[in-house]
Amino acid sequence: MRSLVTAPASRHVGLTTVTTGLVHALDRRGVRVGFCKPIAQPLDGGEDRSNAFVRAVSMIRPPEPISLAEVEALLRADRDQDLMELVAARCLQAGQDCDVLVVEGLAPTEAAVYATRVNNLMAKALDADLVLVTTPHGLEASRVADAAAIAAHAFRLDRPAAVIVNRANLVRPARVVGEHAQVSDLAPVSKALTTAFADARMPLAGLIPYDAGLAVPRFGDVATAIGAHPVLAGDTSRRVHSLALAGQPCEKALVDMRPGTLLVAPVERADLILAASASAANGLNLAGLILVGDVQADARILSLCRGIAGALPVWTVAGKALDAVTAIQRMNLEIPVDDRERIQDAATGVAEHLERGWLDSLTANARETRLSPPAFRHRLIQEAQKANKRIVLPEGTEPRTLKAVQICHERKIARCVLLGNPQEIRDAALKAGVTLPDDVEIIDHLAEMPRLAPILMELRKAKGMTRDQAEQELADTIMPGTLLLKLGEVDGLVSGAVHTTAHTIRPALQLIKTAPGCSLVSSIFFICLPEQVVVFGDCAVNPNPTSEQLADIAIQSAESAIAFGIPARVAMLSYSTGESGTGADVELVKQASAMAKAKRPDLAIDGPLQYDAATQMDVARSKAPKSAVAGKATVLIFPDLNTGNVTYKAVQRSANVVSIGPMLQGMAKPVNDLSRGALVDDIVFTIALTAIQAAAVKPAARAAT
C-alpha cells in the first residue's frame, strides 16, 4: 500500500478541499483508496470537516480521529512516539485492503502552532510521501515555488513527492456574501506557475482554478449565521448569489429582485413583503427574504404571503437592517459539513485538475481496479462526452430539467434539445436562475406540426389516424419528441420529471418499437453498493414475466451491464438455490435460466439462486460450490416486478445507497423515464445513460426505425 500525507505549505490553502478532491480522483478511477484524518480539527467545536467531506463524495468511512486535547497532552508530556502509535493504528485501520491511503495532516492555526512538526512526524511514522498544498495568495509564480521549497525543507526534504497549487488564479478572495473575487486568466497563470516549479525542480501535481460557485452559501447558512428565525420556513437550500438591502420605494426594490438574490427589508415594509411573495409566486427564484426589526410582522400580510410565496423562505431577525447586512457580509464562507452539493462540486473541481500522469504513478503496482460508485459515475460522464449525442427533452420549461441541461452543456455530456415555446422556456430559465448556454437548441414543437403531422399520419395509418388526431397528439411535446427520435433527428429522449411513465413510453412503443431480436421492453437499476456497482432487473416495467420474457430480461440486462463497464455475471433469483426447492415459481426461473443460457452461451448465467448465494462467497461455497456466478453476481434478475421493486427500494433505503435508473432497455432507440421526484443530478445521469445507449445502437436498428 502506498501512503500519502497531504500537508499545507502555509495557512488558508484549502487543505481539506484538496485532500477530498484527491481521494475522489482516485476513487472514481476505481482505485482502492482509504482516507484518514488522524487528528481532529473540528470547526467551532462541531464535527471534523475532513471526515464529513470524504463521506460526502465516497463510500469511505474513516476511523474516528484523535482529539486535539489528547494530542496536546501527549505533546506537552514529550510523548511524540506514543502519539504516532495512535496515528499509525488509525491509519492501519483506514488502509485495510487499500492500494493508496491518503492521510490529511494538520492545518496551522493560532492554537495549532505545532502543525508542521506533527505533520513531519506523521509522514515519517507512516513512511508516506509528502504532498504539499499551497496557494499563490496573489504572489508571483517564482515566490510561490520558493515558498513551497522552503516548506519542504521543514520536512528535511529537498522536495516533496508532489505539490498541488489551489486557487491558482485567485488574486483577491471574496470576503463577503455576494462579492465577486478577483481572478486572473488561468492560462498565463498556469504557464508561469508550471515554469516556476520546473525551475525550482518541484514536482507539480495539479493547478486548481478558483471556482466562485464554491463561495455561494445556502439561505439556511445565512439565516443561522445571523440568528434569524422562520416566519415562513420555505426552501432553505436556495443559494444566495447576491445581497440587496431594500430600503428604497417598492418600484426601485423590484429592480434588485433577481434569481438568487437575498432581500433584506425592514419588517414594517408590507409592500416589499407582498412584492417579494408575488414575485416568487410568478416563478422568480429569489434566494429568500430576511425581515429585520424589533416588532413582529403584520399577521394579515403574512397570512396573504403564506398562500402565494410557495417555497420562498421568509425569516426574521431583531435589530437594524444595516446591521443584518453587515453580519451577513462577515459570515464564514467555508463549506459547511452538511452542504453535500458544494462539497461534491469542490471535490470534482480538484479531481479534474490533477495531473493524470501523477495519479497513474500512485497506482502503478496496484491490483486490478474495481468499478466503485464514483468510478461508475465518472465513467458515465466520460463515455457520454465521447458519444456526443443529441438528446431531446420534451419537458422544456421544467426547472430541474433546465438546470440539468445547463450542466450537460457546460460539461459536454450531450447536445440537449428542449421542446416547447421558446419564449416560455427562456422565461422559465430566468425564473429558475438558470443561464442556458447559447448552443442549447430550442425547438417550438407547434411550429413543427405542419411538417410532422403528415409523417405521423403515415406511420399510424394502420390505426386510422386522421389529421385532427395527429395534430392533437403533436400538441403534447412527448409525441413530437418521439417522432424526432424516430426520424433520426435526435439520438435519444428523456422525460418523466412531470409526466407519468405511461405518458413517456406509450409514443415510443407506438413509433420506435423494440430492437431487432427483442420481444419486450424491460428496465434495470444501477445499484451503487459501497464496494461496487451491480445491476437489478426488472424492477419497473414487467409485472409477471413468462420464462421466455425472463430470459430476455436477463440477456438485455447482461448486455447493458457490459455496455457500462460492469462484468456480467447473471444470477436468476428465486427462493431456492439449485435443486433444493420445488414449485411453479422455481420452475419458471429454472426454465428461464436454461433458455437464457441456450440463447447466449457466451454469458455467465446461473439460476435459480437465492440472493445470499448469488452475492456472498461464503454462502455460495456451501449452496452452489460449482457455480461460476454464485458469490460474485453482478447482474441480479428478479422473478417478478413485485419482488424486484420491493428489493431495490429496501436495499436503497435500508443500506442508504444510490440507485441510478430506471433505464429502459429493449427499445430500438433509447427512451428513458425519470421519477417525478428526480433531482437535478438524476436527470444529468439519465441524459448521460441515454447518450451512451444511443452510441451503442446498431446500424441495423437505426435503419429499421
Side-chain angles (χ1 to χ4, degrees):
M1 179 184 69
R2 186 160 185 180
S3 298
L4 306 174
V5 168
T6 59
S10 61
R11 296 181 63 181
H12 306 302
V13 299
L15 179 66
T16 294
T17 300
V18 171
T19 304
T20 306
L22 172 56
V23 171
H24 184 53
L26 293 167
D27 196 19
R28 73 183 193 178
R29 282 169 159 247
V31 175
R32 294 172 180 83
V33 59
F35 170 78
C36 188
K37 177 70 182 290
I39 299 171
Q41 282 190 294
L43 184 67
D44 299 327
E47 182 183 9
D48 185 89
R49 296 173 73 245
S50 306
N51 286 344
F53 276 32
V54 167
R55 284 197 298 269
V57 301
S58 72
M59 294 293 183
I60 298 171
R61 295 297 176 262
E64 284 298 313
I66 310 162
S67 70
L68 271 179
E70 186 176 0
V71 169
E72 290 173 352
L74 290 170
L75 291 175
R76 282 196 301 269
D78 200 23
R79 295 171 58 190
D80 294 0
Q81 294 311 306
D82 290 342
L83 173 58
M84 288 305 107
E85 284 182 21
L86 295 177
V87 167
R90 280 163 172 77
C91 291
L92 185 63
Q93 178 186 347
Q96 287 181 352
D97 299 321
C98 293
D99 296 316
V100 179
L101 174 65
V102 178
V103 179
E104 182 179 329
L106 285 173
T109 64
E110 289 84 353
V113 293
Y114 46 78
T116 299
R117 175 186 164 211
V118 171
N119 290 341
N120 193 358
L121 289 170
M122 283 199 296
K124 288 179 168 57
L126 300 172
D127 191 25
D129 293 329
L130 175 67
V131 178
L132 277 179
V133 180
T134 189
T135 190
H137 292 301
L139 298 175
E140 294 179 358
S142 59
R143 294 186 63 189
V144 178
D146 288 343
I150 293 169
H153 284 305
F155 287 81
R156 292 180 173 81
L157 296 170
D158 290 334
R159 64 185 65 85
V163 179
I164 299 172
V165 181
N166 192 27
R167 308 180 194 127
N169 57 336
L170 181 62
V171 177
R172 185 180 66 81
R175 298 190 182 278
V176 298
V177 174
E179 180 188 22
H180 294 290
Q182 292 182 4
V183 296
S184 299
D185 183 12
L186 182 62
V189 170
S190 176
K191 183 178 180 181
L193 285 169
T194 301
T195 300
F197 274 86
D199 290 345
R201 297 176 59 240
M202 298 284 284
L204 193 58
L207 293 169
I208 317 302
Y210 173 73
D211 182 355
L214 300 181
V216 180
R218 300 164 297 189
F219 175 88
D221 302 326
V222 175
T224 300
I226 65 172
H229 302 282
V231 176
L232 303 176
D235 177 11
T236 58
S237 66
R238 295 184 177 197
R239 297 287 172 185
V240 179
H241 291 272
S242 59
L243 183 64
L245 174 58
Q248 65 269 55
C250 185
E251 59 272 16
K252 292 186 178 179
L254 287 171
V255 176
D256 291 327
M257 293 186 190
R258 297 186 296 272
T261 296
L262 172 60
L263 203 62
V264 179
V267 71
E268 301 89 353
R269 292 292 303 274
D271 56 337
L272 289 175
I273 300 172
L274 287 171
S277 299
S279 297
N282 196 38
L284 182 64
N285 194 24
L286 289 170
L289 175 62
I290 298 284
L291 303 175
V292 187
D294 296 319
V295 297
Q296 292 186 341
D298 191 314
R300 295 167 300 174
I301 298 298
L302 294 178
S303 179
L304 286 172
C305 294
R306 189 171 283 106
I308 63 174
L312 178 72
V314 181
W315 290 47
T316 183
V317 66
K320 298 179 181 179
L322 187 58
D323 292 339
V325 170
T326 302
I328 293 170
Q329 291 178 329
R330 289 176 176 172
M331 69 175 283
N332 189 339
L333 290 178
E334 286 189 311
I335 303 175
V337 296
D338 65 339
D339 194 344
R340 294 179 66 90
E341 182 182 353
R342 282 171 73 191
I343 293 170
Q344 289 171 342
D345 287 346
T348 299
V350 172
E352 291 181 350
H353 289 88
L354 294 176
E355 291 291 334
R356 293 184 181 180
W358 177 66
L359 292 173
D360 289 339
S361 72
L362 298 179
T363 56
N365 298 314
R367 293 166 285 171
E368 180 184 354
T369 58
R370 80 201 195 285
L371 193 64
S372 67
F376 177 68
R377 293 193 295 268
H378 182 56
R379 182 190 178 96
L380 289 186
I381 300 303
Q382 283 192 318
E383 293 299 319
Q385 290 169 337
K386 291 178 188 175
N388 189 31
K389 293 299 180 181
R390 198 163 178 249
I391 307 300
V392 65
L393 297 107
E395 298 163 326
T397 58
E398 203 283 315
R400 291 165 295 166
T401 300
L402 289 167
K403 180 61 178 175
V405 167
Q406 179 187 16
I407 293 170
C408 285
H409 274 252
E410 287 173 351
R411 299 184 66 182
K412 301 189 186 310
I413 293 169
R415 292 174 288 132
C416 295
V417 179
L418 292 167
L419 290 190
N421 180 288
Q423 191 56 52
E424 290 179 0
I425 290 174
R426 293 188 185 96
D427 289 345
L430 180 64
K431 290 176 181 177
V434 174
T435 302
L436 285 177
D438 294 337
D439 59 345
V440 171
E441 186 177 358
I442 300 174
I443 294 178
D444 187 340
H445 65 295
L446 296 181
E448 290 288 304
M449 190 178 290
R451 177 175 76 93
L452 297 180
I455 299 173
L456 182 58
M457 290 169 61
E458 176 63 24
L459 291 170
R460 301 289 290 161
K461 65 182 179 182
K463 299 295 183 180
M465 179 171 278
T466 65
R467 177 83 186 201
D468 286 345
Q469 290 172 330
E471 290 183 352
Q472 185 177 356
E473 290 275 13
L474 291 167
D476 178 13
T477 53
I478 301 289
M479 182 59 84
T482 308
L483 192 50
L484 291 176
L485 180 59
K486 170 72 176 178
L487 297 173
E489 296 180 20
V490 296
D491 301 301
L493 180 146
V494 174
S495 182
V498 293
H499 290 96
T500 65
T501 297
H503 198 153
T504 297
I505 295 177
R506 180 184 61 83
L509 293 174
Q510 292 173 345
L511 302 181
I512 306 299
K513 306 187 190 253
T514 57
C518 292
S519 61
L520 82 166
V521 173
S522 65
S523 72
I524 58 170
F525 282 88
F526 295 98
I527 306 295
C528 299
L529 299 174
E531 291 299 321
Q532 64 174 339
V533 179
V534 297
V535 170
F536 280 12
D538 175 1
C539 303
V541 178
N542 297 285
N544 293 291
T546 65
S547 55
E548 292 87 355
Q549 290 173 330
L550 201 57
D552 281 349
I553 292 169
I555 292 169
Q556 289 176 356
S557 302
E559 290 177 341
S560 294
I562 293 168
F564 288 92
I566 300 171
R569 294 184 289 273
V570 184
M572 309 292 285
L573 298 177
S574 176
Y575 61 78
S576 169
T577 294
E579 302 296 328
S580 65
T582 59
D585 292 337
V586 177
E587 288 303 315
L588 182 142
V589 176
K590 284 182 180 178
Q591 292 171 13
S593 300
M595 291 176 183
K597 290 177 184 178
K599 286 184 178 180
R600 291 296 302 273
D602 57 308
L603 294 174
I605 302 172
D606 198 8
L609 290 169
Q610 291 164 286
Y611 190 94
D612 58 352
T615 59
Q616 302 296 314
M617 187 57 73
D618 56 341
V619 179
R621 291 191 192 100
S622 171
K623 292 187 174 183
K626 296 181 180 179
S627 173
V629 172
K632 50 187 178 182
T634 56
V635 180
L636 297 116
I637 305 301
F638 295 90
D640 54 59
L641 182 59
N642 184 47
T643 308
N645 193 269
V646 169
T647 303
Y648 113 76
K649 287 185 180 293
V651 171
Q652 179 189 35
R653 300 300 180 186
S654 300
N656 193 29
V657 301
V658 174
S659 65
I660 299 174
M663 185 187 87
L664 300 182
Q665 51 191 13
M667 287 280 190
K669 292 185 177 182
V671 174
N672 278 314
D673 179 42
L674 297 165
S675 163
R676 276 169 282 176
L679 303 175
V680 171
D681 276 354
D682 297 332
I683 301 175
V684 169
F685 282 116
T686 302
I687 291 171
L689 285 171
T690 307
I692 297 168
Q693 282 182 294
V697 172
K698 296 178 175 62
R702 295 192 190 99
T705 59

